[in-house]
């Protein structure tokens, strides 16, 4: 199998895991573990896994000139990304969160235009406006129903997460060409761990571990092993072959997977605001990612 096809497969598997994770994580917090405490547990577990695997690989030294970019990638790809996502998810619903995440390709284009000098056509600018309007519509009018304690603020925090992840994809791209995925992951998570400790220590310290039901422990394990460890591995390998904008397109699958799983287990429901916002965001993403037609001779 060609390396590019493998990259597409890994990106799909990452999207599949992320889609399921919206509901799995929501079932854990905030009832059993508060979001920041859960993030600290997640990052700590992933850090141990990556450094454990790294023992069996050839040691690779990070060049001093790459430290600033690595630090920024840890901020936007681990700390801000995960803290804002879990906090937002604890306030909103799995379907709301997955719909907001679809904005990522739009935000990648915005950042790419400023940082990578990628040209934004009028059609792409229209797509940005339509997509972000759909996101704003969901943020403002998303109702606090069911397990959503503050859907508007939760949706806004998930948008911060999507923006952070988009910037992370751009920052990490060049580093994946120089270093092994495990090398990057173990340093990203180690740096990120020190960043999330001040936010999550107090919440994690009050968890009553003895009272946690076994299904909840399984869900925590799923988030640590699959959502944190496996997906970061998959994406780091995939981005070696794919552009940030291409990789971000796989986020399209997340609302489909997340909605299907959430509806299947009964953790969320659909309404007109969610459906309308989803349509607007997908139209925006389509315009942003659509390749221009070649000029006729």
């Amino acid at each position: 199998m060609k390396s590019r096809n493998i990259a597409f497969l890994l990106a799909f598997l990452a999207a599949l895991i992320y889609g399921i994770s919206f509901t799995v994580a929501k079932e854990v917090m905030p009832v059993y573990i508060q979001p920041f405490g859960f993030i600290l547990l997640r990052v700590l577990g992933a850090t141990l896994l990556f450094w454990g695997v790294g023992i069996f690989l050839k040691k690779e030294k990070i060049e001093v000139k790459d430290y600033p970019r690595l630090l920024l990638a840890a901020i936007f790809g681990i700390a801000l990304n995960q803290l804002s996502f879990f906090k937002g998810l604890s306030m909103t619903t799995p379907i709301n969160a997955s719909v907001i995440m679809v904005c990522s390709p739009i935000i990648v284009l915005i950042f790419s235009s400023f940082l990578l000098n990628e040209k934004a056509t009028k059609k792409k600018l229209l797509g940005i406006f339509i997509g972000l309007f759909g996101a704003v519509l969901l943020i403002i009018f998303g109702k606090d129903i069911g397990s959503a304690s503050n859907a508007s603020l939760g949706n806004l925090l998930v948008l911060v997460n999507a923006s952070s992840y988009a910037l992370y994809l751009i920052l990490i791209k060049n580093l994946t060409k120089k270093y092994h995925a495990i090398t990057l992951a173990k340093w990203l998570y180690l740096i990120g761990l020190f960043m999330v400790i001040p936010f999550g220590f107090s919440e994690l310290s009050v968890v009553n571990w003895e009272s946690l039901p076994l299904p909840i422990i399984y869900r925590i394990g799923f988030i640590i092993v699959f959502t944190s460890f496996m997906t970061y591995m998959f994406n780091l390998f995939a981005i070696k072959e794919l552009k940030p904008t291409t990789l971000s397109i796989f986020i399209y699958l997340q609302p489909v997977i997340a909605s299907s799983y959430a509806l299947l287990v009964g953790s969320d429901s659909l309404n007109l605001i969610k459906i309308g916002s989803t349509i607007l965001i997908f139209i925006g993403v389509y315009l942003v990612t659509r390749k221009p037609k070649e000029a006729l001779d």
Side-chain angles (χ1 to χ4, degrees):
M1 186 181 293
K2 294 182 179 179
S3 56
R4 185 171 175 82
N5 292 335
I6 294 175
F8 278 118
L9 176 61
L10 293 176
F12 169 76
L13 291 175
L16 178 64
I17 294 170
Y18 276 133
I20 295 173
S21 297
F22 284 93
T23 296
V24 173
K26 181 68 178 180
E27 291 171 339
V28 175
M29 58 182 191
V31 176
Y32 298 98
I33 303 178
Q34 291 296 313
F36 289 168
F38 198 0
I39 285 299
L40 176 54
L41 182 62
R42 174 184 175 179
V43 174
L44 175 61
T47 301
L48 294 174
L49 286 172
F50 280 119
W51 279 86
V53 173
I55 293 174
F56 301 98
L57 299 177
K58 183 180 178 181
K59 290 186 178 181
E60 197 173 20
K61 188 176 181 180
I62 302 292
E63 295 182 18
V64 175
K65 66 178 182 179
D66 291 327
Y67 284 157
R69 182 177 286 266
L70 189 66
L71 177 62
L72 288 173
I75 292 172
F76 293 106
I78 305 295
L80 180 60
N81 173 26
Q82 297 192 19
L83 288 169
S84 59
F85 175 62
F86 268 35
K87 187 65 175 179
L89 182 59
S90 71
M91 296 177 171
T92 187
T93 68
I95 294 178
N96 278 4
S98 64
V99 169
I100 294 292
M101 281 299 296
V102 180
C103 291
S104 187
I106 297 174
I107 300 169
V108 167
L109 175 63
I110 295 172
F111 285 141
S112 296
S113 298
F114 286 104
L115 302 178
L116 303 180
N117 295 321
E118 288 190 14
K119 186 178 180 181
T121 63
K122 291 182 179 179
K123 189 170 292 185
K124 288 185 176 183
L125 291 174
L126 177 63
I128 290 172
F129 174 79
I130 293 174
L132 292 182
F133 178 76
V136 170
L137 184 69
L138 186 60
I139 289 170
I140 295 175
F141 296 104
K143 294 182 179 180
D144 297 351
I145 57 174
S147 57
S149 61
N150 189 343
S152 296
L153 179 57
N155 294 337
L156 181 60
L157 287 172
V158 174
L159 183 61
V160 171
N161 158 252
S163 303
S164 178
Y165 181 73
L167 187 53
Y168 159 76
L169 288 178
I170 294 172
L171 289 168
I172 203 67
K173 175 64 178 178
N174 289 338
L175 294 181
T176 61
K177 297 177 181 179
K178 296 179 64 174
Y179 305 107
H180 193 279
I182 294 292
T183 301
L184 288 175
K186 70 180 189 179
W187 283 108
L188 284 170
Y189 266 96
L190 182 62
I191 296 170
L193 176 61
F194 287 102
M195 294 179 182
V196 300
I197 285 175
F199 295 92
F201 181 78
S202 60
E203 292 186 357
L204 188 61
S205 63
V206 299
V207 174
N208 189 349
W209 298 101
E210 295 180 356
S211 67
L212 290 183
L214 194 58
I216 295 300
I217 294 176
Y218 289 151
R219 284 164 173 76
I220 293 172
F222 178 87
I223 295 297
I224 293 173
V225 176
F226 288 95
T227 309
S228 304
F229 178 68
M230 299 302 296
T231 56
Y232 267 77
M233 282 288 298
F234 292 162
N235 281 331
L236 282 170
F237 278 114
I239 203 171
K240 281 189 173 183
E241 301 293 333
L242 306 176
K243 293 180 180 179
T245 47
T246 303
L247 185 59
S248 66
I249 290 173
F250 280 87
I251 292 176
Y252 300 168
L253 296 174
Q254 290 186 23
V256 178
I257 298 168
S259 300
S260 300
Y261 186 77
L263 293 172
L264 181 65
V265 301
S267 67
D268 202 352
S269 60
L270 290 173
N271 58 36
L272 290 178
I273 291 294
K274 291 178 183 179
I275 295 171
S277 298
T278 302
I279 292 172
L280 287 173
I281 291 172
F282 267 88
I283 291 173
V285 170
Y286 170 75
L287 292 173
V288 164
T289 58
R290 184 175 177 226
K291 291 183 178 180
K293 292 182 178 179
E294 294 182 2
L296 297 176
D297 293 332

PDB file of all heavy atoms in Angstrom, residues 55-82:
ATOM      1  N   ILE A  55      11.272   4.317  24.334  1.00  0.00           N
ATOM      2  CA  ILE A  55      12.428   3.571  24.848  1.00  0.00           C
ATOM      3  C   ILE A  55      12.956   2.594  23.802  1.00  0.00           C
ATOM      4  O   ILE A  55      14.158   2.339  23.716  1.00  0.00           O
ATOM      5  CB  ILE A  55      12.043   2.813  26.142  1.00  0.00           C
ATOM      6  CG1 ILE A  55      11.738   3.812  27.253  1.00  0.00           C
ATOM      7  CG2 ILE A  55      13.155   1.861  26.571  1.00  0.00           C
ATOM      8  CD1 ILE A  55      11.218   3.170  28.517  1.00  0.00           C
ATOM      9  N   PHE A  56      12.045   2.046  22.986  1.00  0.00           N
ATOM     10  CA  PHE A  56      12.415   1.024  22.017  1.00  0.00           C
ATOM     11  C   PHE A  56      12.856   1.609  20.674  1.00  0.00           C
ATOM     12  O   PHE A  56      13.166   0.865  19.744  1.00  0.00           O
ATOM     13  CB  PHE A  56      11.231   0.078  21.794  1.00  0.00           C
ATOM     14  CG  PHE A  56      10.761  -0.601  23.047  1.00  0.00           C
ATOM     15  CD1 PHE A  56       9.670  -0.111  23.747  1.00  0.00           C
ATOM     16  CD2 PHE A  56      11.431  -1.711  23.542  1.00  0.00           C
ATOM     17  CE1 PHE A  56       9.233  -0.726  24.917  1.00  0.00           C
ATOM     18  CE2 PHE A  56      11.008  -2.331  24.710  1.00  0.00           C
ATOM     19  CZ  PHE A  56       9.911  -1.835  25.398  1.00  0.00           C
ATOM     20  N   LEU A  57      12.866   2.918  20.564  1.00  0.00           N
ATOM     21  CA  LEU A  57      13.280   3.564  19.328  1.00  0.00           C
ATOM     22  C   LEU A  57      14.638   4.233  19.491  1.00  0.00           C
ATOM     23  O   LEU A  57      15.070   4.517  20.608  1.00  0.00           O
ATOM     24  CB  LEU A  57      12.247   4.616  18.908  1.00  0.00           C
ATOM     25  CG  LEU A  57      10.831   4.122  18.627  1.00  0.00           C
ATOM     26  CD1 LEU A  57       9.921   5.305  18.301  1.00  0.00           C
ATOM     27  CD2 LEU A  57      10.814   3.118  17.479  1.00  0.00           C
ATOM     28  N   LYS A  58      15.282   4.476  18.379  1.00  0.00           N
ATOM     29  CA  LYS A  58      16.558   5.166  18.399  1.00  0.00           C
ATOM     30  C   LYS A  58      16.359   6.591  18.900  1.00  0.00           C
ATOM     31  O   LYS A  58      15.439   7.288  18.480  1.00  0.00           O
ATOM     32  CB  LYS A  58      17.160   5.189  16.985  1.00  0.00           C
ATOM     33  CG  LYS A  58      18.538   5.825  16.916  1.00  0.00           C
ATOM     34  CD  LYS A  58      19.070   5.799  15.486  1.00  0.00           C
ATOM     35  CE  LYS A  58      20.436   6.474  15.414  1.00  0.00           C
ATOM     36  NZ  LYS A  58      20.967   6.473  14.018  1.00  0.00           N
ATOM     37  N   LYS A  59      17.207   7.020  19.829  1.00  0.00           N
ATOM     38  CA  LYS A  59      17.074   8.363  20.394  1.00  0.00           C
ATOM     39  C   LYS A  59      17.326   9.417  19.317  1.00  0.00           C
ATOM     40  O   LYS A  59      18.248   9.323  18.524  1.00  0.00           O
ATOM     41  CB  LYS A  59      18.043   8.548  21.561  1.00  0.00           C
ATOM     42  CG  LYS A  59      17.671   7.749  22.800  1.00  0.00           C
ATOM     43  CD  LYS A  59      18.580   8.072  23.968  1.00  0.00           C
ATOM     44  CE  LYS A  59      18.166   7.313  25.216  1.00  0.00           C
ATOM     45  NZ  LYS A  59      19.024   7.637  26.385  1.00  0.00           N
ATOM     46  N   GLU A  60      16.492  10.424  19.332  1.00  0.00           N
ATOM     47  CA  GLU A  60      16.557  11.494  18.343  1.00  0.00           C
ATOM     48  C   GLU A  60      16.597  12.829  19.075  1.00  0.00           C
ATOM     49  O   GLU A  60      15.755  13.098  19.935  1.00  0.00           O
ATOM     50  CB  GLU A  60      15.320  11.413  17.433  1.00  0.00           C
ATOM     51  CG  GLU A  60      15.430  12.170  16.149  1.00  0.00           C
ATOM     52  CD  GLU A  60      14.236  11.896  15.238  1.00  0.00           C
ATOM     53  OE1 GLU A  60      13.187  11.441  15.751  1.00  0.00           O
ATOM     54  OE2 GLU A  60      14.345  12.147  14.035  1.00  0.00           O
ATOM     55  N   LYS A  61      17.565  13.652  18.766  1.00  0.00           N
ATOM     56  CA  LYS A  61      17.732  14.922  19.447  1.00  0.00           C
ATOM     57  C   LYS A  61      17.034  16.039  18.685  1.00  0.00           C
ATOM     58  O   LYS A  61      17.184  16.171  17.473  1.00  0.00           O
ATOM     59  CB  LYS A  61      19.222  15.249  19.600  1.00  0.00           C
ATOM     60  CG  LYS A  61      19.501  16.469  20.463  1.00  0.00           C
ATOM     61  CD  LYS A  61      20.999  16.683  20.641  1.00  0.00           C
ATOM     62  CE  LYS A  61      21.283  17.897  21.522  1.00  0.00           C
ATOM     63  NZ  LYS A  61      22.740  18.119  21.695  1.00  0.00           N
ATOM     64  N   ILE A  62      16.260  16.844  19.413  1.00  0.00           N
ATOM     65  CA  ILE A  62      15.590  17.994  18.818  1.00  0.00           C
ATOM     66  C   ILE A  62      16.580  19.145  18.719  1.00  0.00           C
ATOM     67  O   ILE A  62      17.254  19.488  19.692  1.00  0.00           O
ATOM     68  CB  ILE A  62      14.382  18.434  19.670  1.00  0.00           C
ATOM     69  CG1 ILE A  62      13.384  17.283  19.842  1.00  0.00           C
ATOM     70  CG2 ILE A  62      13.696  19.645  19.048  1.00  0.00           C
ATOM     71  CD1 ILE A  62      12.667  16.877  18.600  1.00  0.00           C
ATOM     72  N   GLU A  63      16.698  19.741  17.533  1.00  0.00           N
ATOM     73  CA  GLU A  63      17.596  20.874  17.353  1.00  0.00           C
ATOM     74  C   GLU A  63      17.087  22.089  18.135  1.00  0.00           C
ATOM     75  O   GLU A  63      15.877  22.302  18.239  1.00  0.00           O
ATOM     76  CB  GLU A  63      17.711  21.223  15.868  1.00  0.00           C
ATOM     77  CG  GLU A  63      18.370  20.129  15.036  1.00  0.00           C
ATOM     78  CD  GLU A  63      18.514  20.530  13.576  1.00  0.00           C
ATOM     79  OE1 GLU A  63      18.425  21.754  13.284  1.00  0.00           O
ATOM     80  OE2 GLU A  63      18.708  19.650  12.739  1.00  0.00           O
ATOM     81  N   VAL A  64      18.018  22.849  18.672  1.00  0.00           N
ATOM     82  CA  VAL A  64      17.672  24.008  19.503  1.00  0.00           C
ATOM     83  C   VAL A  64      16.778  24.984  18.746  1.00  0.00           C
ATOM     84  O   VAL A  64      15.833  25.558  19.321  1.00  0.00           O
ATOM     85  CB  VAL A  64      18.952  24.727  19.988  1.00  0.00           C
ATOM     86  CG1 VAL A  64      18.598  25.998  20.743  1.00  0.00           C
ATOM     87  CG2 VAL A  64      19.786  23.801  20.861  1.00  0.00           C
ATOM     88  N   LYS A  65      17.025  25.170  17.473  1.00  0.00           N
ATOM     89  CA  LYS A  65      16.235  26.139  16.700  1.00  0.00           C
ATOM     90  C   LYS A  65      14.771  25.716  16.554  1.00  0.00           C
ATOM     91  O   LYS A  65      13.917  26.546  16.213  1.00  0.00           O
ATOM     92  CB  LYS A  65      16.864  26.340  15.321  1.00  0.00           C
ATOM     93  CG  LYS A  65      16.827  25.108  14.431  1.00  0.00           C
ATOM     94  CD  LYS A  65      17.427  25.409  13.070  1.00  0.00           C
ATOM     95  CE  LYS A  65      17.351  24.191  12.151  1.00  0.00           C
ATOM     96  NZ  LYS A  65      17.909  24.469  10.812  1.00  0.00           N
ATOM     97  N   ASP A  66      14.489  24.422  16.793  1.00  0.00           N
ATOM     98  CA  ASP A  66      13.117  23.929  16.661  1.00  0.00           C
ATOM     99  C   ASP A  66      12.333  23.983  17.975  1.00  0.00           C
ATOM    100  O   ASP A  66      11.129  23.695  17.995  1.00  0.00           O
ATOM    101  CB  ASP A  66      13.120  22.482  16.136  1.00  0.00           C
ATOM    102  CG  ASP A  66      13.580  22.389  14.697  1.00  0.00           C
ATOM    103  OD1 ASP A  66      13.305  23.329  13.930  1.00  0.00           O
ATOM    104  OD2 ASP A  66      14.225  21.382  14.334  1.00  0.00           O
ATOM    105  N   TYR A  67      12.994  24.344  19.059  1.00  0.00           N
ATOM    106  CA  TYR A  67      12.315  24.404  20.360  1.00  0.00           C
ATOM    107  C   TYR A  67      11.133  25.392  20.383  1.00  0.00           C
ATOM    108  O   TYR A  67      10.054  25.053  20.901  1.00  0.00           O
ATOM    109  CB  TYR A  67      13.299  24.760  21.475  1.00  0.00           C
ATOM    110  CG  TYR A  67      14.198  23.618  21.896  1.00  0.00           C
ATOM    111  CD1 TYR A  67      15.426  23.852  22.511  1.00  0.00           C
ATOM    112  CD2 TYR A  67      13.811  22.293  21.701  1.00  0.00           C
ATOM    113  CE1 TYR A  67      16.252  22.805  22.904  1.00  0.00           C
ATOM    114  CE2 TYR A  67      14.633  21.242  22.091  1.00  0.00           C
ATOM    115  CZ  TYR A  67      15.849  21.505  22.686  1.00  0.00           C
ATOM    116  OH  TYR A  67      16.658  20.467  23.074  1.00  0.00           O
ATOM    117  N   PRO A  68      11.305  26.609  19.843  1.00  0.00           N
ATOM    118  CA  PRO A  68      10.167  27.548  19.876  1.00  0.00           C
ATOM    119  C   PRO A  68       8.928  27.009  19.161  1.00  0.00           C
ATOM    120  O   PRO A  68       7.808  27.140  19.671  1.00  0.00           O
ATOM    121  CB  PRO A  68      10.718  28.795  19.178  1.00  0.00           C
ATOM    122  CG  PRO A  68      12.196  28.722  19.391  1.00  0.00           C
ATOM    123  CD  PRO A  68      12.529  27.264  19.311  1.00  0.00           C
ATOM    124  N   ARG A  69       9.126  26.409  17.993  1.00  0.00           N
ATOM    125  CA  ARG A  69       7.990  25.848  17.247  1.00  0.00           C
ATOM    126  C   ARG A  69       7.380  24.676  18.008  1.00  0.00           C
ATOM    127  O   ARG A  69       6.149  24.515  18.042  1.00  0.00           O
ATOM    128  CB  ARG A  69       8.436  25.414  15.850  1.00  0.00           C
ATOM    129  CG  ARG A  69       7.302  24.863  14.984  1.00  0.00           C
ATOM    130  CD  ARG A  69       7.806  24.516  13.599  1.00  0.00           C
ATOM    131  NE  ARG A  69       8.047  25.711  12.810  1.00  0.00           N
ATOM    132  CZ  ARG A  69       7.155  26.238  11.975  1.00  0.00           C
ATOM    133  NH1 ARG A  69       5.957  25.700  11.856  1.00  0.00           N
ATOM    134  NH2 ARG A  69       7.438  27.307  11.278  1.00  0.00           N
ATOM    135  N   LEU A  70       8.236  23.849  18.631  1.00  0.00           N
ATOM    136  CA  LEU A  70       7.745  22.709  19.406  1.00  0.00           C
ATOM    137  C   LEU A  70       6.927  23.188  20.605  1.00  0.00           C
ATOM    138  O   LEU A  70       5.888  22.607  20.937  1.00  0.00           O
ATOM    139  CB  LEU A  70       8.921  21.848  19.879  1.00  0.00           C
ATOM    140  CG  LEU A  70       8.582  20.501  20.512  1.00  0.00           C
ATOM    141  CD1 LEU A  70       7.969  19.570  19.496  1.00  0.00           C
ATOM    142  CD2 LEU A  70       9.827  19.864  21.120  1.00  0.00           C
ATOM    143  N   LEU A  71       7.401  24.262  21.239  1.00  0.00           N
ATOM    144  CA  LEU A  71       6.691  24.840  22.380  1.00  0.00           C
ATOM    145  C   LEU A  71       5.315  25.359  21.965  1.00  0.00           C
ATOM    146  O   LEU A  71       4.306  25.103  22.631  1.00  0.00           O
ATOM    147  CB  LEU A  71       7.512  25.970  23.000  1.00  0.00           C
ATOM    148  CG  LEU A  71       6.873  26.718  24.168  1.00  0.00           C
ATOM    149  CD1 LEU A  71       6.621  25.788  25.349  1.00  0.00           C
ATOM    150  CD2 LEU A  71       7.758  27.891  24.590  1.00  0.00           C
ATOM    151  N   LEU A  72       5.268  26.069  20.845  1.00  0.00           N
ATOM    152  CA  LEU A  72       3.999  26.591  20.346  1.00  0.00           C
ATOM    153  C   LEU A  72       3.049  25.456  19.964  1.00  0.00           C
ATOM    154  O   LEU A  72       1.840  25.521  20.211  1.00  0.00           O
ATOM    155  CB  LEU A  72       4.236  27.501  19.137  1.00  0.00           C
ATOM    156  CG  LEU A  72       4.875  28.861  19.431  1.00  0.00           C
ATOM    157  CD1 LEU A  72       5.204  29.583  18.132  1.00  0.00           C
ATOM    158  CD2 LEU A  72       3.952  29.716  20.293  1.00  0.00           C
ATOM    159  N   ALA A  73       3.606  24.400  19.347  1.00  0.00           N
ATOM    160  CA  ALA A  73       2.789  23.243  18.966  1.00  0.00           C
ATOM    161  C   ALA A  73       2.206  22.564  20.198  1.00  0.00           C
ATOM    162  O   ALA A  73       1.058  22.090  20.184  1.00  0.00           O
ATOM    163  CB  ALA A  73       3.621  22.256  18.154  1.00  0.00           C
ATOM    164  N   ALA A  74       2.976  22.522  21.295  1.00  0.00           N
ATOM    165  CA  ALA A  74       2.487  21.922  22.545  1.00  0.00           C
ATOM    166  C   ALA A  74       1.374  22.779  23.153  1.00  0.00           C
ATOM    167  O   ALA A  74       0.396  22.254  23.698  1.00  0.00           O
ATOM    168  CB  ALA A  74       3.633  21.767  23.534  1.00  0.00           C
ATOM    169  N   ILE A  75       1.522  24.098  23.048  1.00  0.00           N
ATOM    170  CA  ILE A  75       0.495  24.998  23.577  1.00  0.00           C
ATOM    171  C   ILE A  75      -0.820  24.814  22.834  1.00  0.00           C
ATOM    172  O   ILE A  75      -1.884  24.609  23.437  1.00  0.00           O
ATOM    173  CB  ILE A  75       0.956  26.466  23.481  1.00  0.00           C
ATOM    174  CG1 ILE A  75       2.124  26.727  24.425  1.00  0.00           C
ATOM    175  CG2 ILE A  75      -0.208  27.418  23.794  1.00  0.00           C
ATOM    176  CD1 ILE A  75       2.749  28.103  24.254  1.00  0.00           C
ATOM    177  N   PHE A  76      -0.745  24.872  21.490  1.00  0.00           N
ATOM    178  CA  PHE A  76      -1.965  24.837  20.687  1.00  0.00           C
ATOM    179  C   PHE A  76      -2.451  23.417  20.387  1.00  0.00           C
ATOM    180  O   PHE A  76      -3.641  23.215  20.141  1.00  0.00           O
ATOM    181  CB  PHE A  76      -1.741  25.605  19.377  1.00  0.00           C
ATOM    182  CG  PHE A  76      -1.549  27.078  19.575  1.00  0.00           C
ATOM    183  CD1 PHE A  76      -0.293  27.656  19.452  1.00  0.00           C
ATOM    184  CD2 PHE A  76      -2.624  27.886  19.911  1.00  0.00           C
ATOM    185  CE1 PHE A  76      -0.118  29.017  19.641  1.00  0.00           C
ATOM    186  CE2 PHE A  76      -2.456  29.251  20.108  1.00  0.00           C
ATOM    187  CZ  PHE A  76      -1.208  29.811  19.973  1.00  0.00           C
ATOM    188  N   GLY A  77      -1.541  22.443  20.399  1.00  0.00           N
ATOM    189  CA  GLY A  77      -1.939  21.073  20.069  1.00  0.00           C
ATOM    190  C   GLY A  77      -2.263  20.205  21.263  1.00  0.00           C
ATOM    191  O   GLY A  77      -2.959  19.192  21.125  1.00  0.00           O
ATOM    192  N   ILE A  78      -1.771  20.595  22.446  1.00  0.00           N
ATOM    193  CA  ILE A  78      -2.019  19.794  23.654  1.00  0.00           C
ATOM    194  C   ILE A  78      -2.784  20.610  24.695  1.00  0.00           C
ATOM    195  O   ILE A  78      -3.933  20.308  25.023  1.00  0.00           O
ATOM    196  CB  ILE A  78      -0.691  19.295  24.276  1.00  0.00           C
ATOM    197  CG1 ILE A  78       0.145  18.523  23.241  1.00  0.00           C
ATOM    198  CG2 ILE A  78      -0.988  18.408  25.485  1.00  0.00           C
ATOM    199  CD1 ILE A  78      -0.478  17.251  22.753  1.00  0.00           C
ATOM    200  N   ALA A  79      -2.174  21.658  25.214  1.00  0.00           N
ATOM    201  CA  ALA A  79      -2.742  22.388  26.355  1.00  0.00           C
ATOM    202  C   ALA A  79      -4.046  23.110  26.019  1.00  0.00           C
ATOM    203  O   ALA A  79      -5.127  22.721  26.474  1.00  0.00           O
ATOM    204  CB  ALA A  79      -1.707  23.366  26.902  1.00  0.00           C
ATOM    205  N   LEU A  80      -3.977  24.166  25.215  1.00  0.00           N
ATOM    206  CA  LEU A  80      -5.166  24.951  24.897  1.00  0.00           C
ATOM    207  C   LEU A  80      -6.192  24.113  24.145  1.00  0.00           C
ATOM    208  O   LEU A  80      -7.399  24.192  24.425  1.00  0.00           O
ATOM    209  CB  LEU A  80      -4.778  26.171  24.060  1.00  0.00           C
ATOM    210  CG  LEU A  80      -5.928  27.095  23.637  1.00  0.00           C
ATOM    211  CD1 LEU A  80      -6.645  27.645  24.860  1.00  0.00           C
ATOM    212  CD2 LEU A  80      -5.407  28.222  22.758  1.00  0.00           C
ATOM    213  N   ASN A  81      -5.725  23.301  23.234  1.00  0.00           N
ATOM    214  CA  ASN A  81      -6.593  22.439  22.437  1.00  0.00           C
ATOM    215  C   ASN A  81      -7.455  21.531  23.317  1.00  0.00           C
ATOM    216  O   ASN A  81      -8.683  21.523  23.237  1.00  0.00           O
ATOM    217  CB  ASN A  81      -5.704  21.611  21.491  1.00  0.00           C
ATOM    218  CG  ASN A  81      -6.484  20.555  20.727  1.00  0.00           C
ATOM    219  OD1 ASN A  81      -7.673  20.698  20.507  1.00  0.00           O
ATOM    220  ND2 ASN A  81      -5.809  19.506  20.341  1.00  0.00           N
ATOM    221  N   GLN A  82      -6.820  20.785  24.206  1.00  0.00           N
ATOM    222  CA  GLN A  82      -7.538  19.792  24.992  1.00  0.00           C
ATOM    223  C   GLN A  82      -8.311  20.411  26.158  1.00  0.00           C
ATOM    224  O   GLN A  82      -9.426  19.977  26.484  1.00  0.00           O
ATOM    225  CB  GLN A  82      -6.571  18.719  25.479  1.00  0.00           C
ATOM    226  CG  GLN A  82      -5.929  17.946  24.330  1.00  0.00           C
ATOM    227  CD  GLN A  82      -5.191  16.696  24.799  1.00  0.00           C
ATOM    228  OE1 GLN A  82      -5.420  16.205  25.887  1.00  0.00           O
ATOM    229  NE2 GLN A  82      -4.304  16.199  23.965  1.00  0.00           N
TER     230      GLN A  82
END
